[in-house]
């Protein structure tokens, strides 16, 4: 009998040995998985005990073995082969969306988050509890931009300085007007820069009334069609207060149209009065608050490829 025929006979112990080895490897693998899960559960409970924050199951806690300083590191999805605008280059068949994790480093912990939204939320939550986490580059950039914006807002006190400050970017004038409303006790949010729905600011008065405001950084007079556009836009919103703000003046036809629809017109003269009334509340050297440089959903979503919709995550 040859060796090969012997190994294939029923008396051969090799199949049994192979089965036992396979079973042993499977048991080792299961044991490693269970130990790893138990360790992560321990780290999760330890993190909650120390910092008082419950992290979601998809956020993986690890030990900060490299002793990285307390910080937020955001990574964004990208295509393995992308066009110049970041969208997928469909000329290549094997082109995948790569989504690296983002990280929050805090003392002994390194927390791996599957999306930058979760990392930003976790950093915001920890900061609110008094733990220091250094600003990431995106937050540092927003801090500098907010500081510059606040300086321009607090030093632009006349129509001439308004035009000089915001003529390069009229959307900044919209935010300036929104801040004036906030100084008067309103809630004010500007619309997206790409949207032109006939209004620039959505308002809620101190009494709870809803309102819309349109802002125009103009030299020439505002005519009736502009007022009609604001009135038409309100048909879909149903706001009870309408405002039109400009650095110029209104034609007689525009004034008559506004009077019929109860639109409050704020020309350059009334705008100057409004600025003067809010001036005591402004300080040129006022620091940027933590909330002002906190990343919003829109801030993070802007870094996603244009053809990869970011998931909704409340921040």
């Amino acid at each position: 009998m040859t060796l090969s025929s012997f190994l294939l006979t029923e008396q051969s112990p090799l199949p049994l040995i192979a089965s036992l080895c396979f079973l042993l490897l499977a048991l080792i693998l299961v044991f490693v998985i269970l130990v790893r899960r138990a360790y992560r559960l321990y780290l999760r409970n330890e993190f909650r005990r120390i910092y008082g924050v419950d992290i979601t199951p998809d956020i993986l806690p690890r030990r900060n073995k490299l002793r990285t300083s307390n910080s937020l590191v955001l990574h964004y999805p990208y295509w393995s082969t992308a066009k110049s605008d970041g969208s997928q280059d469909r000329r290549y068949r094997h082109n995948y969306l790569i989504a690296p994790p983002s990280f929050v480093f805090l003392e002994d912990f390194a927390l791996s988050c599957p999306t930058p939204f979760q990392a930003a939320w976790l950093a915001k939550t920890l900061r609110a509890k008094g733990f220091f986490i250094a600003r990431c580059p995106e937050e540092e950039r927003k801090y500098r931009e907010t500081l510059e914006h606040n300086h321009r807002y607090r030093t632009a006190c006349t129509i001439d300085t308004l035009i000089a400050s915001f003529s390069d970017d009229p959307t900044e004038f919209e935010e300036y007007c929104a801040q004036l409303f906030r100084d008067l006790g309103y809630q004010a949010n500007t619309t997206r820069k790409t949207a032109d729905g006939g209004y620039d600011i959505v308002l809620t008065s101190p009494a709870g009334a809803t309102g819309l405001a349109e802002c125009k950084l103009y030299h020439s007079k505002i005519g009736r069609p502009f007022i009609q556009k604001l009135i038409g836009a309100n048909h879909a919103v149903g706001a009870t207060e309408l405002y039109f703000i400009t650095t110029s003046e209104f034609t007689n036809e525009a004034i008559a149209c506004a009077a019929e629809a109860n639109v409050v017109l704020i020309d350059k003269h009334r705008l100057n009065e409004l600025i003067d009334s809010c001036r005591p509340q402004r300080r040129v050297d006022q620091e940027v608050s933590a909330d002002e440089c906190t990343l919003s959903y829109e801030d993070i979503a802007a870094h996603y490829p244009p053809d990869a919709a970011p998931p909704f995550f409340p921040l």
Side-chain angles (χ1 to χ4, degrees):
M1 178 182 293
T2 64
L3 178 61
S4 59
S5 61
F6 172 76
L7 293 176
L8 294 176
T9 60
E10 295 182 356
Q11 292 80 13
S12 173
L14 291 182
L16 179 60
I17 295 174
S19 299
L20 290 175
C21 290
F22 178 80
L23 179 60
L24 180 61
L25 289 174
L27 289 175
I28 293 174
L29 180 62
V30 170
F31 176 76
V32 170
I33 293 174
L34 291 176
V35 170
R36 190 175 181 182
R37 288 184 177 179
Y39 181 64
R40 284 184 175 169
L41 180 61
Y42 163 76
L43 290 179
R44 192 179 304 274
N45 293 334
E46 188 73 1
F47 185 84
R48 180 174 61 243
R49 182 185 66 82
I50 297 174
Y51 303 108
V53 176
D54 279 318
I55 55 177
T56 56
D58 52 352
I59 296 178
L60 302 179
R62 301 171 181 170
R63 288 298 184 191
N64 186 6
K65 295 181 180 179
L66 298 179
R67 307 302 299 173
T68 305
S69 58
N70 295 2
S71 56
L72 170 64
V73 179
L74 299 181
H75 295 135
Y76 305 96
Y78 61 92
W79 292 104
S80 55
T81 306
K83 298 180 181 178
S84 57
D85 65 349
S87 61
Q88 182 183 18
D89 192 336
R90 297 185 180 277
R91 294 176 299 176
Y92 299 88
R93 292 181 56 188
H94 302 290
N95 196 355
Y96 306 101
L97 187 67
I98 301 172
S102 297
F103 291 92
V104 175
F105 296 97
L106 181 59
E107 298 174 345
D108 291 334
F109 289 89
L111 299 115
S112 174
C113 304
T115 70
F117 296 101
Q118 288 162 294
W121 165 82
L122 182 56
K124 179 181 177 181
T125 303
L126 291 167
R127 287 166 178 161
K129 289 182 172 292
F131 300 105
F132 171 77
I133 296 178
R135 288 192 292 260
C136 64
E138 295 86 346
E139 291 174 318
E140 193 64 40
R141 189 181 310 113
K142 187 172 183 178
Y143 171 82
R144 292 194 301 269
E145 291 174 353
T146 304
L147 193 65
E148 180 184 352
H149 166 78
N150 288 355
H151 178 77
R152 285 197 291 173
Y153 167 73
R154 295 181 177 98
T155 55
C157 299
T158 66
I159 297 300
D160 290 337
T161 55
L162 280 177
I163 295 174
S165 297
F166 303 126
S167 57
D168 291 338
D169 187 2
T171 57
E172 286 293 318
F173 175 64
E174 299 166 8
E175 181 57 37
Y176 178 88
C177 294
Q179 188 59 51
L180 289 176
F181 278 105
R182 295 185 192 111
D183 289 344
L184 296 173
Y186 283 73
Q187 295 180 25
N189 296 295
T190 54
T191 59
R192 291 182 296 110
K193 293 184 179 182
T194 56
D196 186 16
Y199 58 92
D200 299 314
I201 307 173
V202 179
L203 301 166
T204 304
S205 72
T210 57
L212 301 177
E214 176 72 349
C215 311
K216 291 296 181 185
L217 191 73
Y218 271 28
H219 292 282
S220 56
K221 287 188 175 183
I222 300 296
R224 181 186 182 95
F226 289 100
I227 309 301
Q228 290 175 323
K229 186 176 181 180
L230 173 60
I231 296 171
N234 190 43
H235 289 161
V237 180
T240 56
E241 298 179 2
L242 297 177
Y243 300 88
F244 203 109
I245 309 168
T246 182
T247 52
S248 62
E249 296 177 323
F250 297 94
T251 64
N252 292 333
E253 293 81 5
I255 294 173
C257 179
E260 295 173 1
N262 295 322
V263 179
V264 178
L265 300 181
I266 302 176
D267 62 7
K268 62 181 181 180
H269 306 293
R270 294 190 65 183
L271 182 56
N272 261 330
E273 295 173 0
L274 186 59
I275 293 171
D276 289 338
S277 67
C278 296
R279 188 177 299 173
Q281 303 179 41
R282 292 178 285 170
R283 284 178 36 221
V284 174
D285 60 344
Q286 187 171 340
E287 276 295 321
V288 176
S289 68
D291 289 339
E292 287 181 293
C293 58
T294 298
L295 297 178
S296 65
Y297 176 87
E298 290 76 15
D299 293 330
I300 297 175
H303 291 273
Y304 271 64
D307 54 351
F312 175 74
F313 191 90
L315 291 176

